Amino acid sequence: MSRESVLLFGLGGIGGIYACILQLSGKCDVHVVARSNYAAVKEKGFKLISPKFGNHDGLKFAGVWKSTEEAAASGTKFSYVLCANKALLDAKPSLSDHLRPIITPSLTSIVLLQNGVGAEEPLHQSFPDTTIISAVVWTGGKALPTSDGVEQFNREGLTIGVDYRDNGAKKEEEDAKLEKLVGWLKAGKGDCTVTEDIQSERWVKVIWNCCWNSLTTATRLKTGPFFDSSSQALPLCYTVMREVEAVAKAKGLKIEDGTVDKLIKQCTDVAYPGLPSSMMADNFAGRPMEVEVILGTPVREGQRLGVPVPTLTAIYAIVKALDYGNQNPEAAKA
């Protein structure tokens, strides 16, 4: 009996790690869409450097494709499509556009390995009969300069759950799909914590992202130098996190007492020079940034619910302007 197939869309630092975990599990056939690094991965295979999973050279995937259209043309039917591409809500083509050729109704589940909040709803609208599994990624990963692999560092882990459709009418069926995927990830030694309240977990992560991603980007400093920059740096972090926490609680989500203190400590405990962020790296490189899923959605939800978010709104406007300047170089020269 042939094994089931999965497709990894977005073979960067995070996507590459989870493609490797599934490959090492031996439980499924792993295909990848490798856009910018297609030639290197197709020719050399894929490399993983990891203190947890070991070092592996030349991992060969079942399929390496330039696009989802090419993957679909292969005739392979995918049980899961893992999306680890940048979460850009305003991107054209959209994530739904990319996924449409490879989704088989009632078979394929979409798995989000992305930052931010608000990415599930457009997918539910585009694919109403498809299970959407959503994961909060607590994994350190970066692409190798050679473009043919990834390095996993710091911790590795997912908090993962179903973003149930139809108010949970298909819960048993959707839970079974989640259980199978988690089993494969654990077979590859991946760390998975399953939750039935994935949106609360996503908002906990966005409390973290709203602070560190935005402030490292705006200041162009890792967290250590930022804390050293003035006596107001750390209080600003608390203010940003408290505003996002208030929005999440107004939405009726479960945010445990002490969450902000815990998230601040997780950062301040990191040895100097502290943490960078993926948004900071994107800004330096002039790439599109995940502004809307990390900052825009919390700002809009705060406005909708009547929760004051003045500091978050200011930071959103600043980072949005940086993103605009990156995408419109002529504007900086005006």
Side-chain angles (χ1 to χ4, degrees):
M1 182 178 177
S2 61
R3 296 192 303 185
E4 294 181 63
S5 294
V6 304
L7 181 71
L8 200 298
F9 180 69
L11 197 65
I14 297 303
I17 289 169
Y18 286 96
C20 291
I21 290 173
L22 288 169
Q23 180 75 11
L24 293 171
S25 78
K27 297 293 186 180
C28 56
D29 288 336
V30 180
H31 298 243
V32 299
V33 173
R35 293 178 286 181
S36 61
N37 53 354
Y38 171 83
V41 176
K42 185 77 170 178
E43 178 184 348
K44 302 177 185 178
F46 203 70
K47 180 185 295 184
L48 172 65
I49 299 173
S50 168
K52 177 175 180 179
F53 303 103
N55 297 339
H56 302 268
D57 284 315
L59 291 172
K60 290 290 187 178
F61 299 121
V64 180
W65 313 106
K66 293 179 181 177
S67 66
T68 53
E69 289 82 2
E70 188 177 76
S74 74
T76 305
K77 301 298 183 183
F78 299 104
S79 297
Y80 300 91
V81 178
L82 281 68
C83 302
N85 56 308
K86 288 290 179 185
L88 305 173
L89 292 182
D90 49 0
K92 301 295 181 185
S94 67
L95 179 56
S96 292
D97 294 332
H98 283 296
L99 296 183
R100 200 161 276 113
I102 51 173
I103 299 299
T104 302
S106 77
L107 170 65
T108 309
S109 296
I110 298 170
V111 184
L112 294 178
L113 304 177
Q114 296 178 321
N115 282 327
V117 288
E120 295 90 355
E121 186 54 36
L123 295 174
H124 281 301
Q125 293 177 8
S126 297
F127 309 107
D129 298 321
T130 296
T131 295
I132 310 295
I133 296 171
S134 190
V136 178
V137 181
W138 298 99
T139 299
K142 63 181 180 181
L144 298 178
T146 50
S147 299
D148 62 343
V150 291
E151 179 183 356
Q152 179 264 318
F153 57 90
N154 201 5
R155 61 177 291 192
E156 179 278 321
L158 300 176
T159 302
I160 190 167
V162 177
D163 194 67
Y164 296 105
R165 65 185 195 270
D166 300 330
N167 295 316
K170 305 281 188 178
K171 185 176 185 301
E172 184 175 347
E173 171 190 321
E174 295 192 298
D175 283 346
K177 293 181 177 181
L178 171 64
E179 183 179 4
K180 181 191 292 183
L181 176 63
V182 168
W184 293 352
L185 291 166
K186 288 185 175 180
K189 299 184 180 178
D191 181 14
C192 296
T193 300
V194 175
T195 179
E196 290 197 356
D197 185 9
I198 191 58
Q199 287 306 316
S200 290
E201 298 294 338
R202 275 209 167 274
W203 276 81
V204 168
K205 179 68 182 295
V206 93
I207 292 171
W208 168 279
N209 288 137
C210 271
C211 182
W212 308 128
N213 287 48
S214 63
L215 294 179
T216 55
T217 298
T219 63
R220 302 166 67 92
L221 296 172
K222 293 181 181 179
T223 53
F226 174 66
F227 295 144
D228 289 348
S229 66
S230 79
S231 60
Q232 296 306 307
L234 190 56
L236 175 61
C237 299
Y238 276 98
T239 299
V240 172
M241 287 195 176
R242 295 288 186 208
E243 288 185 2
V244 185
E245 178 187 46
V247 175
K249 287 183 174 180
K251 287 174 62 65
L253 299 173
K254 184 178 180 181
I255 309 297
E256 298 285 352
D257 292 342
T259 292
V260 168
D261 291 330
K262 177 182 175 182
L263 294 175
I264 293 283
K265 187 175 187 300
Q266 284 178 0
C267 186
T268 56
D269 281 353
V270 176
Y272 192 89
L275 299 173
S277 71
S278 58
M279 181 180 280
M280 177 187 186
D282 287 337
N283 186 45
F284 277 131
R287 295 188 294 260
M289 296 186 286
E290 297 173 314
V291 184
E292 295 304 326
V293 292
I294 290 176
L295 293 163
T297 298
V299 166
R300 287 186 290 272
E301 284 295 276
Q303 293 169 342
R304 180 180 71 84
L305 295 165
V307 178
V309 286
T311 307
L312 188 62
T313 301
I315 293 172
Y316 167 67
I318 291 167
V319 177
K320 189 73 173 176
L322 290 172
D323 194 47
Y324 177 83
N326 287 340
Q327 304 315 304
N328 298 275
E330 71 283 356
K333 301 175 183 177

